[in-house]
Amino acid sequence: MDTVSMVTSLLSMQQGNLQGQIATSVMKQNLDAEKSAVQTLLGTPSTANLTPGVGGNLNVVA
């Protein structure tokens, strides 16, 4: 294997690793946002300071 092929191979591996790290980071941010939205809808405590009644039960019969 010549030097150019080895360098190209190493750069491709580094690029793939970087793309994996970015994808993992974006996925974690999306999951955190979804978790926050669900906690708000269910009325469970989250890291956000919400006013009383936000995310509580809604009486749709009345």
Side-chain angles (χ1 to χ4, degrees):
M1 182 178 275
D2 63 341
T3 307
V4 175
S5 296
M6 289 175 54
V7 170
T8 304
S9 174
L10 288 173
L11 290 175
S12 296
M13 287 174 24
Q14 286 179 342
Q15 181 183 9
N17 188 20
L18 177 62
Q19 287 177 346
Q21 289 174 346
I22 292 171
T24 302
S25 176
V26 170
M27 185 182 301
K28 184 183 181 316
Q29 290 175 354
N30 288 342
L31 290 174
D32 289 343
E34 290 293 328
K35 178 182 173 185
S36 177
V38 168
Q39 286 178 336
T40 301
L41 291 172
L42 295 177
T44 56
S46 65
T47 56
N49 294 325
L50 300 175
T51 58
V54 173
N57 292 333
L58 178 64
N59 185 358
V60 294
V61 177

